Amino acid sequence: MRLLYAALGLVCVGLAIVGVVLPLLPTVPFLLLASFFFANSSERLHEWIINHQLFGPMIQDWHERGAIRPAAKKAATISVAAVFGLSVVFSAPNHVLIIQAITLGAVMIFIWSRPSG
């Protein structure tokens, strides 16, 4: 199970990096998910993401109690809205918009259902 969580965390970090390079995916929500998965998999991976200069401040409350700071929740929401807005403005195909809406909606439900830090 720990290996599965580690793999999911690495996938989320990869998706966050894709979001930095291409404006197809938001970055912050996937970093939050990566932190959640790493917290359940490996102390070393979790410490890496918590202590990372860029990622750490957004997600450090996972380390203590599995809470997400309100600022990180807002950043995740803005990130999702910006990416989805860009997709609409640049006339992404309908099937891409539907997949984005379902995926990002599920991610946001998960993030906003976590306790606030």
Side-chain angles (χ1 to χ4, degrees):
M1 198 62 167
R2 297 178 123 218
L3 185 59
L4 176 65
Y5 278 128
L8 289 171
L10 291 173
V11 166
C12 287
V13 168
L15 292 172
I17 291 169
V18 168
V20 170
V21 177
L22 301 170
L24 297 173
L25 294 170
T27 301
V28 178
F30 289 106
L31 291 176
L32 295 172
L33 284 176
S35 175
F36 172 77
F37 290 130
F38 286 165
N40 291 303
S41 68
S42 160
E43 187 66 33
R44 184 175 288 168
L45 286 172
H46 193 224
E47 288 297 322
W48 171 78
I49 202 164
I50 289 295
N51 293 323
H52 193 276
Q53 187 176 14
L54 176 64
F55 306 154
M58 287 188 280
I59 56 178
Q60 57 192 172
D61 279 338
W62 276 121
H63 184 67
E64 296 171 7
R65 59 186 180 278
I68 301 175
R69 292 181 179 184
K73 288 181 179 185
K74 289 176 189 171
T77 304
I78 290 168
S79 179
V80 166
V83 166
F84 195 72
L86 281 173
S87 295
V88 170
V89 167
F90 290 112
S91 302
N94 286 341
H95 66 279
V96 171
L97 291 176
I98 291 168
I99 292 170
Q100 270 187 333
I102 292 169
T103 303
L104 299 178
V107 168
M108 293 311 300
I109 288 170
F110 176 80
I111 288 170
W112 280 96
S113 68
R114 303 280 89 195
S116 293

